[in-house]
Amino acid sequence: MTEAPPLHLDEYRAAFAGWLDGHDALVSRQRDFFSLELADVATVQQQFQGELFAGGWVRCGWPEELGGLGGDARHRAALYDELGRRRIPIPESYLTVETLIPMLSVHAPELARAHLTDLLRGAERWCQGFSEPDAGSDLASLRTKAVRDGDDWIVDGHKIWTSQATVSHRCVVLLRTGTPESRHRGLSMMLVDHDTPGVEVREIRTMSGRDELGEVLFDGVRVGGDRLIGNEGDGWALAMYLLQWERGMYPWQRQAGLLGTLDALLERDGDGIDPHALADAYLSVLPMRLSAAHTIRRLAAGETPGPEVSVDKVLLARAELVVFDLVDSVLGGAIELDDDQHAQEWRHDYLFSRSAPIYGGSYEIQRQILADRVLGMPRG
Amino acid sequence: MVEVTAIDRDTLDIFERTARGVLAQPDVVVGNALEEIGWRDFLAADAASVVPLVFGILGELVLASSALDDVAFDALGARGEELRATGHGFAHPLGVRDAGSLSGAGLAVDAVLLGAGRDAPVALVAATDGGACVFTVAARSAGLEVAPLDGIDPALGLARVRGLVPTGDVTVHDDAGAPAVRPACRRALAHELLGATDAMLTMATEYAKVRRQFGQPIGAFQAVKHRLADVYVARQAAAAVLDESWRSDPACTTVAAKALAAHAGAVASENCLQVLGAIGFTLEHRLHRYVRRVRVLDRLYGSARDLRTELGRLLQAQGRVPRPGRG
């Protein structure tokens, strides 16, 4: 490995920008590649992840005891920002890394230590099995269950709309270990390998045309006791813990991408855009950038943000829609009526943006959380 | 004037408590109250700490004052202090453009005065071929008409000042940092707008907890929750950008912050009125004072709509969108 990157934040940022400048071919391949097949995307991004790992870039921001090179969430944020600035897609796998690893590093450090470096360099990918056919927004009603069998657990049930499921090697699953009536109290979290007998993964193609989602079916799957994250019954608390990272870092990653999209529009036809609509789009992303930055700084400082971080997700949902509505209007029909690769890419991104008010806790649920838990409104 | 350079947290806490105390008194004369707590010294020492506090409170309590003149004079440094000390009022623009513009014919002025009477000399920022400059116009100058106006918010006690002043009657102060006035005033107005937004949100939230219909508090209905959550999101969005505007390049961030704060005020006006229902629509309820106030604050230094156009043109000129703030 080459010399480790500097950890001073400004130096890190500058050094990473310099490294990207010197890797034109790698950068253009990431930027120009497009496929509706998730497996192809994963393969191309894996190559990039390997380089980012070898240079030490993605190891910064993670503690040394987990295989990182030190630093904190602000280093990771700087890396994502720089990728967005250059319109390089952030490898999809880093979304789950950002959500799951901070939680694991506190509640199952041995699992984090065993897998972090493989996740960073793209040797393995994970997904997050929360939603079920009958448990979407009402997560506490989930039914996929784990029953003790000696030191092991036997898992049965059905997860659905799981992002990246078809290209993942393992799944962090939220399971019912209590009675069916135990709601959020009787939940536990486990790491399950997709190659365990009894696990079946099926692709689900989304409106965007890509096999973005999947179903994960569990039929008498034996999971070792060492794969329980935290303690039995901790599942809900762990899910809530990781969601605050999902609020902070995912909107941060997306703002980097969305500002890159606005740059692309300016580059394409800067003066032709209605300035009011352009400002509207920018003003939908800017608060999300600054609010997410604030959340990340708090998380990096070891604070536990409260329910007010739901603001980040509400802002994200709106920003995605507003920015891609602007894209659609600037392209003037290409999304609807053209078939070249650019049009296909924009079409995919446009359609994918429509899911922002749904995934990761719906727009309605986030606003209800704000009303109930921040404003103290009476529960219905 | 006392030169203080940094205000520690404790002093600031005391300042805030004192400010709240004096400003919350019934029939307060805001100018006197601010004078009493040494507001201008604090402003000169640490605008970034006290402007959010004072303008937040002014917005929350829907008070009328000429504190915005102080902000403009403070942005002009020593020259501003001199103009203030010699009794000048400050003429604030009603849109994104400057309060005046200079041509061969003279100084064309169209602006509002917050506090000063019709007999005071007036300072303003006006456009010239060489960029914005600070001008003063003597009291009772020919061509300058000062007329009190009620408008939508008579409680503000505004006066419209307009006319064409002959060049001989104006003095230019090109030593003053004229371009600093607009961002400073936009920031202060944005804080006032957020104060007003918070007050509206609080009154609607409290009402939704106690007003019962169909056997339950109306705040238990999701449609009501969502309306108020939307107000909260709009104020948080504006606050995030406003906060950053004290650190980053103000050209872009103060425009963005004021546009977002005015938007938050508009969302609050609409949604809080809807939650308060008929009582909120009457003059018996104090909501109308806020609804009126945010309309006028929106107009000063450019409405949310005009600021968006200005911001869009700024982005087009730069060719890339700015990325203030870091993770």
Side-chain angles (χ1 to χ4, degrees):
Chain A
M1 204 191 86
T2 48
E3 202 184 329
L7 277 185
H8 180 280
L9 261 177
D10 290 332
E11 288 171 22
Y12 172 80
R13 210 175 269 120
F16 182 53
W19 183 83
L20 288 171
D21 285 340
H23 286 74
D24 266 346
L26 188 68
V27 165
S28 351
R29 174 139 175 81
Q30 292 302 315
R31 191 159 43 196
D32 301 339
F33 182 79
F34 173 73
S35 169
L36 286 175
E37 301 307 312
L38 201 56
D40 298 341
V41 175
T43 304
V44 169
Q45 293 187 341
Q46 185 176 353
Q47 178 203 0
F48 187 42
Q49 288 177 255
E51 299 283 345
L52 290 172
F53 185 86
W57 305 110
V58 284
R59 296 178 69 192
C60 294
W62 299 103
E64 288 174 70
E65 59 270 24
L66 299 183
L69 294 172
D72 58 45
R74 293 170 303 163
H75 293 83
R76 284 132 55 195
L79 180 133
Y80 301 135
D81 210 25
E82 198 55 41
L83 295 181
R85 194 185 293 271
R86 289 155 193 268
R87 279 177 259 144
I88 304 167
I90 296 168
E92 308 270 351
S93 154
Y94 290 157
L95 312 185
T96 30
V97 169
E98 284 297 344
T99 309
L100 296 173
I101 295 297
M103 180 276 291
L104 281 182
S105 65
V106 175
H107 298 280
E110 61 296 340
L111 287 177
R113 195 161 32 241
H115 298 283
L116 176 62
T117 53
D118 279 345
L119 285 165
L120 291 175
R121 65 190 167 90
E124 58 177 83
R125 288 178 292 274
W126 292 8
C127 58
Q128 196 179 315
F130 281 20
S131 293
E132 295 184 4
D134 292 325
S137 289
D138 182 12
L139 193 57
S141 69
L142 63 82
R143 289 191 300 219
T144 299
K145 64 173 199 257
V147 178
R148 266 191 198 282
D149 183 38
D151 289 339
D152 298 340
W153 297 86
I154 306 297
V155 176
D156 284 281
H158 184 182
K159 293 291 177 181
I160 197 167
W161 307 309
T162 307
S163 294
Q164 312 284 311
T166 52
V167 295
S168 289
H169 303 87
R170 305 175 213 278
C171 185
V172 169
V173 196
L174 194 57
L175 295 160
R176 183 153 307 283
T177 46
T179 62
E181 303 75 37
S182 60
R183 297 282 298 166
H184 58 275
R185 287 180 303 279
L187 300 177
S188 301
M189 201 177 271
M190 292 176 203
L191 178 65
V192 181
D193 297 355
H194 280 188
D195 61 4
T196 317
V199 176
E200 188 194 340
V201 180
R202 295 180 190 156
E203 74 165 41
I204 300 176
R205 237 162 244 277
T206 67
M207 186 190 277
S208 75
R210 190 175 275 170
D211 48 342
E212 204 75 54
L213 304 179
E215 286 180 272
V216 188
L217 293 96
F218 303 88
D219 180 13
V221 177
R222 178 171 294 274
V223 178
D226 59 344
R227 291 303 190 83
L228 176 69
I229 299 162
N231 297 306
E232 182 180 347
D234 283 356
W236 186 257
L238 296 175
M240 294 304 111
Y241 182 90
L242 66 81
L243 280 174
Q244 45 176 354
W245 286 90
E246 192 166 317
R247 298 290 169 260
M249 201 54 104
Y250 185 61
W252 177 264
Q253 292 181 336
R254 286 306 303 146
Q255 66 78 26
L258 291 171
L259 292 180
T261 299
L262 293 182
D263 278 345
L265 293 182
L266 280 171
E267 203 169 281
R268 191 182 173 279
D269 182 22
D271 296 335
I273 306 175
D274 167 25
H276 192 271
L278 175 63
D280 229 12
Y282 180 64
L283 288 179
S284 72
V285 187
L286 184 63
M288 152 186 166
R289 170 182 173 86
L290 295 169
S291 180
H294 180 66
T295 306
I296 290 166
R297 281 196 301 273
R298 292 180 65 190
L299 289 166
E303 291 177 43
T304 307
E308 69 275 10
V309 291
S310 282
V311 166
D312 293 359
K313 178 70 212 300
V314 174
L315 294 175
L316 166 73
R318 287 190 193 153
E320 292 278 355
L321 299 184
V322 173
V323 168
F324 281 97
D325 283 347
L326 178 67
V327 168
D328 182 50
S329 112
V330 170
L331 296 186
I335 285 177
E336 293 80 9
L337 299 168
D338 282 359
D339 288 324
D340 59 56
Q341 189 191 312
H342 281 300
Q344 287 183 44
E345 256 185 274
W346 284 121
R347 181 146 63 230
H348 167 271
D349 291 354
Y350 170 83
L351 288 169
F352 187 71
S353 73
R354 307 294 108 173
S355 65
I358 301 168
Y359 59 63
S362 75
Y363 193 58
E364 283 67 28
I365 288 292
Q366 301 306 332
R367 290 185 297 158
Q368 178 152 356
I369 290 171
L370 293 171
D372 289 351
R373 298 182 52 207
V374 178
L375 301 179
M377 305 283 278
R379 307 289 176 109
Chain B
M1 178 181 286
V2 187
E3 275 297 322
V4 197
T5 44
I7 303 180
D8 61 83
R9 193 62 245 176
D10 288 348
T11 313
L12 215 54
D13 285 346
I14 296 169
F15 177 79
E16 181 176 9
R17 276 202 303 278
T18 318
R20 235 172 233 294
V22 295
L23 291 171
Q25 284 165 11
D27 302 321
V28 62
V29 178
V30 178
N32 296 347
L34 290 176
E35 184 82 43
E36 196 181 306
I37 59 172
W39 135 256
R40 282 200 311 275
D41 293 339
F42 278 92
L43 174 65
D46 192 354
S49 296
V50 296
V51 167
L53 286 182
V54 167
F55 279 83
I57 297 170
L58 293 174
E60 253 175 68
L61 301 176
V62 69
L63 294 170
S65 75
S66 55
L68 195 65
D69 290 8
D70 298 330
V71 170
F73 286 130
D74 179 65
L76 294 174
R79 175 66 69 189
E81 172 57 19
E82 181 200 314
L83 295 175
R84 197 202 59 74
T86 47
H88 286 77
F90 200 93
H92 300 280
L94 293 157
V96 288
R97 288 202 295 270
D98 290 315
S101 65
L102 185 72
S103 67
L107 182 69
V109 178
D110 187 6
V112 289
L113 293 171
L114 299 178
R118 60 174 75 205
D119 294 334
V122 173
L124 69 152
V125 173
T128 75
D129 290 342
C133 281
V134 174
F135 291 85
T136 47
V137 180
R140 293 180 296 276
S141 177
L144 199 65
E145 185 200 337
V146 180
L149 72 89
D150 279 340
I152 198 172
D153 189 3
L156 270 172
L158 299 176
R160 186 80 174 244
V161 50
R162 55 183 146 190
L164 184 64
V165 188
T167 323
D169 287 359
V170 301
T171 311
V172 61
H173 306 270
D174 49 12
D175 58 327
V181 172
R182 193 159 28 185
C185 287
R186 280 179 179 163
R187 249 189 319 239
L189 289 165
H191 283 289
E192 192 169 350
L193 280 159
L194 279 193
T197 299
D198 287 344
M200 286 190 270
L201 179 56
T202 303
M203 64 180 90
T205 304
E206 293 311 311
Y207 185 74
K209 289 177 188 173
V210 296
R211 168 73 173 168
R212 296 178 70 87
Q213 291 287 275
F214 303 104
Q216 56 180 327
I218 59 168
F221 293 105
Q222 202 173 39
V224 173
K225 287 179 200 271
H226 285 174
R227 273 194 182 267
L228 296 180
D230 284 340
V231 178
Y232 179 74
V233 170
R235 74 84 57 206
Q236 289 296 89
V241 178
L242 185 52
D243 192 42
E244 183 62 32
S245 79
W246 288 97
R247 292 187 290 270
S248 294
D249 171 27
C252 160
T253 52
T254 55
V255 176
K258 183 166 186 271
L260 289 166
H263 174 68
V267 174
S269 298
E270 182 184 328
N271 288 7
C272 296
L273 172 58
Q274 189 64 24
V275 169
L276 287 162
I279 183 69
F281 190 61
T282 66
L283 287 181
E284 292 160 33
H285 196 283
R286 61 200 165 98
L287 181 74
H288 75 97
R289 297 165 61 193
Y290 292 89
V291 171
R292 293 167 193 281
R293 184 60 45 90
V294 299
R295 295 311 318 131
V296 177
L297 298 180
D298 178 46
R299 286 284 160 198
L300 297 177
Y301 289 89
S303 67
R305 183 170 179 83
D306 291 343
L307 290 174
R308 277 172 145 77
T309 308
E310 178 177 316
L311 179 62
R313 297 217 172 98
L314 190 74
L315 300 178
Q316 285 168 326
Q318 293 183 356
R320 281 180 78 84
V321 298
R323 291 165 170 78
R326 283 162 171 181

